[in-house]
Each structure stands twice: as structure tokens, then as C-alpha cells.
Amino acid sequence: MAKSIVDFLVELDTNSKLMEAYKKDPVATAADYGLSGEELKLIEDKNWEEVSKRFDDIKKAPRVINY
């Protein structure tokens, strides 16, 4: 199963090494994690509204770090 942006953001919340990499280069870190081009674009554009919509299905709130 491909990793999704939801998986990535949940992992960010628990993986300090991933978080440090994300702080330095969010798009490259997400690409290395295996996100699709569409999901990378959401991060690049900082489209947090659309990211939040993806969490609606799993009933979790995203915690997005903006730096």
C-alpha cells in the first residue's frame, strides 16, 4: 500500500528524525517518504485546508508544522 499524506503527518508527530528533516525541507522529506506528486504539491503550496479534508475520513486532526 502506498503511503499517504495522512500517514506522513501522523508519522511526523511521532518521529523526531522525520520532523527535523521536514523542518529543513518539507517537500523533499515528503518525497523521500513516498508521497504522490499531488500530495507533494499540497505541501509545497501549503494547502492545509485540503490536507485537513483528508483527515475527515479517519476522524483525526492533523498537526501541521509551518516553518
Side-chain angles (χ1 to χ4, degrees):
M1 181 171 102
K3 295 179 180 178
S4 72
I5 196 166
V6 172
D7 297 330
F8 177 66
L9 294 176
V10 169
E11 179 85 13
L12 271 181
D13 205 27
T14 59
N15 183 329
S16 61
K17 288 182 181 182
L18 186 64
M19 177 59 78
E20 287 305 312
Y22 178 82
K23 288 178 185 178
K24 293 176 185 173
D25 192 340
V27 176
T29 303
D32 290 346
Y33 190 79
L35 297 188
S36 70
E38 175 190 349
E39 291 175 323
L40 292 174
K41 186 75 172 146
L42 293 175
I43 291 173
E44 183 178 18
D45 293 345
K46 298 180 181 177
N47 188 347
W48 307 131
E49 184 176 326
E50 179 61 32
V51 171
S52 292
K53 289 177 187 176
R54 297 183 184 217
F55 275 81
D56 288 345
D57 293 336
I58 63 169
K59 307 297 183 223
K60 289 186 178 182
R63 186 181 133 211
V64 177
I65 307 300
N66 292 316
Y67 292 97

Coordinates of all heavy atoms in Angstrom, one line a residue:
M1 N 0.8 -1.2 0.0 CA 0.0 0.0 0.0 C 0.9 1.2 0.0 O 1.9 1.3 0.7 CB -0.9 0.0 1.2 CG -1.8 1.2 1.3 SD -3.0 1.0 2.7 CE -2.3 2.1 3.9
A2 N 0.5 2.2 -0.8 CA 1.3 3.4 -0.9 C 1.0 4.3 0.4 O 0.0 4.2 0.9 CB 0.9 4.2 -2.1
K3 N 2.1 5.0 0.7 CA 1.9 5.9 1.9 C 1.2 7.1 1.5 O 1.3 7.6 0.4 CB 3.3 6.2 2.4 CG 4.0 5.0 3.0 CD 5.4 5.4 3.5 CE 6.1 4.1 4.0 NZ 7.4 4.4 4.5
S4 N 0.3 7.6 2.4 CA -0.5 8.8 2.1 C 0.0 10.0 2.9 O 0.8 9.8 3.9 CB -1.9 8.5 2.4 OG -2.1 8.5 3.8
I5 N -0.5 11.1 2.6 CA -0.2 12.3 3.3 C -0.6 12.2 4.8 O 0.0 12.7 5.7 CB -0.7 13.6 2.6 CG1 0.0 14.9 3.2 CG2 -2.2 13.7 2.7 CD1 -0.2 16.1 2.3
V6 N -1.7 11.5 5.0 CA -2.2 11.3 6.3 C -1.2 10.5 7.1 O -0.8 10.8 8.2 CB -3.6 10.6 6.3 CG1 -4.0 10.1 7.7 CG2 -4.6 11.5 5.7
D7 N -0.7 9.4 6.5 CA 0.3 8.6 7.2 C 1.6 9.4 7.5 O 2.2 9.3 8.5 CB 0.7 7.4 6.3 CG -0.4 6.4 6.0 OD1 -1.3 6.3 6.8 OD2 -0.4 5.8 4.9
F8 N 1.9 10.2 6.5 CA 3.1 11.1 6.7 C 3.0 12.0 7.9 O 3.9 12.1 8.7 CB 3.4 11.9 5.4 CG 4.5 12.8 5.4 CD1 5.8 12.4 5.6 CD2 4.3 14.2 5.3 CE1 6.9 13.3 5.6 CE2 5.3 15.1 5.4 CZ 6.6 14.6 5.5
L9 N 1.9 12.7 8.0 CA 1.7 13.7 9.0 C 1.5 13.0 10.4 O 2.0 13.5 11.4 CB 0.5 14.6 8.7 CG 0.7 15.5 7.5 CD1 -0.6 16.3 7.2 CD2 1.9 16.4 7.7
V10 N 0.9 11.8 10.4 CA 0.9 11.1 11.7 C 2.3 10.7 12.1 O 2.7 10.8 13.3 CB -0.1 9.8 11.5 CG1 0.1 8.9 12.7 CG2 -1.5 10.3 11.4
E11 N 3.1 10.2 11.1 CA 4.5 9.8 11.4 C 5.3 11.0 11.9 O 6.1 10.9 12.8 CB 5.1 9.2 10.1 CG 6.5 8.8 10.3 CD 6.7 7.4 10.9 OE1 5.8 6.6 10.9 OE2 7.9 7.1 11.2
L12 N 5.0 12.2 11.3 CA 5.7 13.4 11.7 C 5.5 13.7 13.2 O 6.4 14.2 13.9 CB 5.2 14.6 11.0 CG 5.9 15.0 9.7 CD1 5.3 16.2 9.1 CD2 7.4 15.2 9.8
D13 N 4.4 13.3 13.7 CA 4.0 13.6 15.1 C 4.8 12.7 16.0 O 4.9 13.0 17.2 CB 2.5 13.4 15.3 CG 2.0 14.2 16.4 OD1 2.6 15.2 16.8 OD2 0.9 13.8 17.0
T14 N 5.3 11.6 15.6 CA 5.9 10.6 16.5 C 7.4 10.3 16.2 O 8.0 9.7 16.9 CB 5.2 9.3 16.4 OG1 5.2 8.8 15.1 CG2 3.7 9.4 16.9
N15 N 7.9 10.8 15.0 CA 9.2 10.5 14.6 C 10.0 11.8 14.6 O 9.9 12.6 13.6 CB 9.2 9.9 13.2 CG 10.5 9.4 12.7 OD1 11.5 10.0 13.0 ND2 10.5 8.4 11.9
S16 N 10.9 12.0 15.6 CA 11.7 13.2 15.7 C 12.7 13.4 14.5 O 12.9 14.6 14.1 CB 12.4 13.3 17.0 OG 13.3 12.3 17.2
K17 N 13.2 12.4 14.0 CA 14.2 12.5 12.9 C 13.4 13.0 11.6 O 14.0 13.8 10.9 CB 14.9 11.2 12.6 CG 15.9 10.8 13.7 CD 16.6 9.5 13.4 CE 17.6 9.2 14.5 NZ 18.3 8.0 14.2
L18 N 12.3 12.4 11.4 CA 11.5 12.8 10.3 C 11.1 14.3 10.4 O 11.1 15.1 9.5 CB 10.2 11.9 10.1 CG 9.4 12.1 8.9 CD1 10.2 11.8 7.6 CD2 8.1 11.3 8.9
M19 N 10.7 14.7 11.6 CA 10.3 16.1 11.9 C 11.5 17.0 11.6 O 11.3 18.1 11.0 CB 9.8 16.2 13.3 CG 9.4 17.7 13.7 SD 8.2 18.4 12.6 CE 6.7 17.7 13.3
E20 N 12.7 16.7 12.1 CA 13.8 17.5 11.8 C 14.1 17.7 10.3 O 14.4 18.8 9.8 CB 15.1 17.0 12.6 CG 15.0 17.2 14.1 CD 14.8 18.6 14.5 OE1 15.4 19.5 14.0 OE2 13.9 18.9 15.3
A21 N 14.0 16.6 9.6 CA 14.2 16.6 8.1 C 13.1 17.5 7.5 O 13.4 18.3 6.6 CB 14.2 15.2 7.6
Y22 N 11.9 17.4 8.0 CA 10.7 18.2 7.4 C 11.0 19.7 7.7 O 10.7 20.5 6.8 CB 9.4 17.7 8.1 CG 8.2 18.5 7.7 CD1 7.6 18.2 6.5 CD2 7.7 19.5 8.4 CE1 6.4 18.9 6.1 CE2 6.6 20.2 8.0 CZ 6.0 19.9 6.9 OH 4.9 20.6 6.5
K23 N 11.5 20.0 8.8 CA 11.7 21.4 9.1 C 12.7 22.0 8.2 O 12.6 23.2 7.8 CB 12.2 21.6 10.6 CG 11.2 21.3 11.6 CD 11.8 21.5 13.0 CE 10.8 21.1 14.1 NZ 11.5 21.2 15.4
K24 N 13.7 21.2 7.8 CA 14.7 21.7 6.8 C 14.2 21.8 5.4 O 14.6 22.7 4.7 CB 16.0 20.8 6.9 CG 16.7 20.9 8.2 CD 17.8 19.9 8.3 CE 18.4 19.9 9.7 NZ 19.4 18.9 9.9
D25 N 13.5 20.8 5.0 CA 13.0 20.7 3.6 C 11.7 19.9 3.5 O 11.8 18.7 3.3 CB 14.1 20.2 2.7 CG 13.7 20.3 1.2 OD1 12.5 20.6 0.9 OD2 14.7 20.3 0.4
P26 N 10.6 20.5 3.7 CA 9.3 19.8 3.8 C 9.0 19.0 2.5 O 8.6 17.8 2.6 CB 8.2 20.8 4.0 CG 9.0 22.0 4.5 CD 10.4 21.9 4.0
V27 N 9.2 19.5 1.4 CA 8.8 18.9 0.1 C 9.7 17.7 -0.1 O 9.3 16.6 -0.5 CB 8.8 19.8 -1.1 CG1 8.5 19.1 -2.3 CG2 7.8 20.9 -0.8
A28 N 11.0 17.8 0.0 CA 12.0 16.7 -0.2 C 11.7 15.6 0.8 O 11.8 14.4 0.5 CB 13.4 17.2 -0.1
T29 N 11.4 16.0 2.1 CA 11.2 14.9 3.1 C 9.9 14.1 2.7 O 9.9 12.9 2.8 CB 11.0 15.6 4.5 OG1 12.2 16.3 4.7 CG2 10.8 14.6 5.5
A30 N 8.9 14.8 2.3 CA 7.7 14.2 1.9 C 7.9 13.3 0.7 O 7.4 12.2 0.6 CB 6.6 15.2 1.6
A31 N 8.7 13.8 -0.3 CA 9.0 13.0 -1.5 C 9.8 11.7 -1.1 O 9.5 10.6 -1.6 CB 9.8 13.8 -2.5
D32 N 10.8 11.8 -0.2 CA 11.5 10.7 0.3 C 10.6 9.7 1.0 O 10.9 8.5 1.0 CB 12.6 11.1 1.2 CG 13.8 11.9 0.5 OD1 13.8 11.8 -0.8 OD2 14.6 12.5 1.2
Y33 N 9.6 10.2 1.6 CA 8.6 9.3 2.3 C 7.8 8.5 1.4 O 7.3 7.4 1.7 CB 7.7 10.2 3.3 CG 6.9 9.4 4.2 CD1 7.4 8.9 5.4 CD2 5.5 9.2 4.0 CE1 6.6 8.1 6.3 CE2 4.7 8.5 4.8 CZ 5.3 8.0 6.0 OH 4.5 7.3 6.9
G34 N 7.6 9.0 0.2 CA 6.9 8.3 -0.9 C 5.6 8.9 -1.2 O 4.7 8.2 -1.8
L35 N 5.3 10.1 -0.9 CA 4.1 10.7 -1.3 C 4.0 11.0 -2.8 O 5.0 11.1 -3.5 CB 3.9 12.1 -0.5 CG 3.8 12.0 1.0 CD1 3.5 13.4 1.6 CD2 2.9 11.0 1.5
S36 N 2.7 11.0 -3.2 CA 2.5 11.2 -4.7 C 2.7 12.7 -5.0 O 2.8 13.6 -4.2 CB 1.0 10.9 -5.0 OG 0.1 11.9 -4.4
G37 N 2.8 13.0 -6.3 CA 3.0 14.3 -6.8 C 2.0 15.3 -6.4 O 2.2 16.4 -6.0
E38 N 0.7 14.8 -6.4 CA -0.4 15.6 -5.9 C -0.3 16.0 -4.5 O -0.5 17.1 -4.1 CB -1.7 14.8 -6.1 CG -3.0 15.5 -5.6 CD -4.2 14.6 -5.6 OE1 -4.2 13.5 -6.1 OE2 -5.2 15.1 -5.0
E39 N 0.1 15.0 -3.6 CA 0.3 15.3 -2.2 C 1.5 16.2 -1.9 O 1.4 17.1 -1.1 CB 0.4 14.0 -1.4 CG -1.0 13.3 -1.4 CD -0.9 11.9 -0.8 OE1 0.1 11.2 -0.9 OE2 -1.9 11.6 -0.1
L40 N 2.5 16.0 -2.7 CA 3.7 16.9 -2.6 C 3.3 18.3 -2.9 O 3.8 19.3 -2.2 CB 4.8 16.4 -3.5 CG 5.5 15.1 -3.1 CD1 6.5 14.7 -4.2 CD2 6.2 15.2 -1.8
K41 N 2.5 18.5 -3.9 CA 2.0 19.8 -4.3 C 1.2 20.5 -3.1 O 1.3 21.7 -2.9 CB 1.1 19.7 -5.6 CG 0.7 21.0 -6.1 CD 1.9 21.7 -6.8 CE 1.4 22.9 -7.6 NZ 2.4 24.0 -7.6
L42 N 0.4 19.7 -2.4 CA -0.3 20.3 -1.3 C 0.7 20.8 -0.2 O 0.4 21.9 0.3 CB -1.2 19.2 -0.6 CG -2.3 18.6 -1.4 CD1 -3.0 17.5 -0.7 CD2 -3.3 19.7 -1.7
I43 N 1.8 20.1 0.0 CA 2.7 20.6 1.0 C 3.5 21.8 0.4 O 3.7 22.8 1.1 CB 3.7 19.4 1.4 CG1 3.0 18.4 2.2 CG2 4.9 20.0 2.2 CD1 3.7 17.1 2.5
E44 N 3.9 21.7 -0.8 CA 4.6 22.8 -1.4 C 3.8 24.1 -1.4 O 4.3 25.2 -1.1 CB 5.0 22.5 -2.9 CG 5.8 23.5 -3.6 CD 6.2 23.1 -5.0 OE1 5.5 22.2 -5.5 OE2 7.1 23.7 -5.5
D45 N 2.5 24.0 -1.7 CA 1.6 25.1 -1.8 C 1.0 25.5 -0.4 O 0.3 26.5 -0.3 CB 0.4 24.8 -2.7 CG 0.8 24.7 -4.1 OD1 1.9 25.1 -4.5 OD2 -0.1 24.2 -4.9
K46 N 1.4 24.7 0.6 CA 0.9 24.9 2.0 C -0.7 25.0 2.0 O -1.3 25.8 2.6 CB 1.5 26.2 2.6 CG 3.0 26.0 2.7 CD 3.6 27.3 3.4 CE 5.1 27.1 3.4 NZ 5.8 28.2 3.9
N47 N -1.3 24.1 1.3 CA -2.7 24.0 1.2 C -3.3 23.1 2.3 O -3.7 22.0 2.2 CB -3.1 23.4 -0.2 CG -4.6 23.4 -0.5 OD1 -5.4 23.7 0.4 ND2 -4.9 23.1 -1.7
W48 N -3.2 23.7 3.5 CA -3.6 23.0 4.7 C -5.1 22.7 4.8 O -5.5 21.8 5.5 CB -3.1 23.7 6.0 CG -1.6 24.0 5.9 CD1 -1.0 25.3 6.2 CD2 -0.5 23.2 5.5 NE1 0.3 25.2 6.0 CE2 0.7 23.9 5.6 CE3 -0.4 21.8 5.2 CZ2 1.9 23.4 5.3 CZ3 0.8 21.3 4.8 CH2 2.0 22.1 4.9
E49 N -5.9 23.5 4.1 CA -7.3 23.3 4.1 C -7.6 21.9 3.4 O -8.4 21.1 3.9 CB -8.0 24.4 3.4 CG -9.5 24.3 3.4 CD -10.2 25.5 2.8 OE1 -9.7 26.6 2.9 OE2 -11.3 25.2 2.2
E50 N -7.0 21.7 2.3 CA -7.2 20.4 1.6 C -6.6 19.3 2.4 O -7.2 18.2 2.4 CB -6.5 20.5 0.2 CG -6.7 19.2 -0.6 CD -8.1 18.8 -0.9 OE1 -9.0 19.7 -1.0 OE2 -8.4 17.6 -0.9
V51 N -5.4 19.5 3.0 CA -4.8 18.4 3.9 C -5.8 18.1 5.0 O -6.0 16.9 5.3 CB -3.5 18.9 4.4 CG1 -3.0 17.9 5.5 CG2 -2.5 19.0 3.3
S52 N -6.4 19.1 5.6 CA -7.4 18.8 6.7 C -8.5 18.0 6.2 O -9.0 17.1 7.0 CB -7.9 20.1 7.3 OG -6.8 20.8 7.9
K53 N -9.0 18.2 5.0 CA -10.1 17.4 4.5 C -9.8 15.9 4.4 O -10.7 15.1 4.6 CB -10.5 17.9 3.1 CG -11.2 19.3 3.1 CD -11.4 19.7 1.7 CE -12.0 21.1 1.6 NZ -12.1 21.6 0.2
R54 N -8.5 15.6 4.2 CA -8.1 14.2 4.1 C -8.2 13.5 5.4 O -8.2 12.3 5.5 CB -6.8 14.1 3.4 CG -6.9 14.7 2.0 CD -5.6 14.6 1.3 NE -5.8 15.2 0.0 CZ -5.3 14.8 -1.2 NH1 -4.6 13.7 -1.2 NH2 -5.5 15.4 -2.3
F55 N -8.1 14.3 6.5 CA -8.2 13.7 7.8 C -9.7 13.4 8.2 O -9.9 12.7 9.2 CB -7.5 14.6 8.8 CG -6.1 14.3 8.9 CD1 -5.2 14.9 8.0 CD2 -5.5 13.5 9.9 CE1 -3.8 14.7 8.1 CE2 -4.2 13.3 10.0 CZ -3.3 13.9 9.1
D56 N -10.6 14.0 7.6 CA -12.0 13.9 7.9 C -12.5 12.4 7.9 O -13.3 12.0 8.8 CB -12.9 14.7 7.0 CG -12.9 16.2 7.2 OD1 -12.3 16.6 8.3 OD2 -13.3 16.9 6.3
D57 N -11.9 11.6 7.0 CA -12.3 10.2 6.9 C -11.8 9.4 8.0 O -12.4 8.3 8.3 CB -11.8 9.6 5.6 CG -12.5 10.2 4.4 OD1 -13.6 10.8 4.5 OD2 -11.9 10.2 3.3
I58 N -10.7 9.8 8.7 CA -10.2 8.9 9.8 C -10.5 9.5 11.1 O -10.0 9.0 12.1 CB -8.7 8.7 9.5 CG1 -7.9 10.0 9.6 CG2 -8.4 7.9 8.3 CD1 -6.4 9.8 9.7
K59 N -11.1 10.6 11.2 CA -11.6 11.3 12.5 C -10.4 11.6 13.3 O -10.4 11.5 14.6 CB -12.5 10.3 13.2 CG -13.7 9.9 12.4 CD -14.6 11.0 12.0 CE -15.8 10.5 11.3 NZ -16.2 11.3 10.1
K60 N -9.3 12.1 12.7 CA -8.2 12.6 13.4 C -7.9 14.0 13.0 O -8.2 14.4 11.9 CB -6.9 11.8 13.2 CG -6.9 10.4 13.8 CD -5.6 9.8 13.6 CE -5.5 8.4 14.2 NZ -4.2 7.8 14.0
A61 N -7.3 14.8 13.8 CA -7.0 16.2 13.5 C -5.5 16.2 13.1 O -4.6 15.7 13.8 CB -7.2 17.1 14.6
P62 N -5.2 16.8 11.9 CA -3.8 17.0 11.5 C -3.1 18.0 12.4 O -3.6 19.0 12.8 CB -3.9 17.4 10.1 CG -5.2 18.2 10.0 CD -6.1 17.5 11.0
R63 N -1.8 17.7 12.6 CA -0.9 18.7 13.2 C 0.1 19.1 12.2 O 1.1 18.3 12.0 CB -0.3 18.1 14.5 CG 0.5 19.1 15.2 CD 1.1 18.5 16.5 NE 2.5 18.9 16.5 CZ 3.5 18.3 16.9 NH1 3.3 17.1 17.5 NH2 4.7 18.8 16.9
V64 N 0.0 20.2 11.6 CA 0.9 20.7 10.5 C 1.8 21.7 11.1 O 1.4 22.6 11.7 CB 0.1 21.2 9.3 CG1 1.0 21.7 8.3 CG2 -0.9 20.2 8.8
I65 N 3.1 21.5 10.8 CA 4.1 22.4 11.3 C 4.5 23.3 10.1 O 4.9 22.8 9.1 CB 5.4 21.6 11.7 CG1 5.0 20.5 12.8 CG2 6.4 22.5 12.3 CD1 4.3 21.0 14.0
N66 N 4.4 24.6 10.3 CA 4.8 25.6 9.3 C 6.1 26.3 9.7 O 6.1 26.9 10.8 CB 3.7 26.6 9.1 CG 2.5 26.1 8.5 OD1 2.5 25.3 7.6 ND2 1.3 26.4 9.0
Y67 N 7.1 26.2 8.9 CA 8.3 26.9 9.2 C 8.8 27.6 8.0 O 8.5 27.3 6.9 CB 9.4 25.9 9.6 CG 9.2 25.3 11.0 CD1 8.6 24.1 11.1 CD2 9.5 26.0 12.1 CE1 8.3 23.5 12.3 CE2 9.2 25.5 13.4 CZ 8.6 24.2 13.5 OH 8.4 23.7 14.7

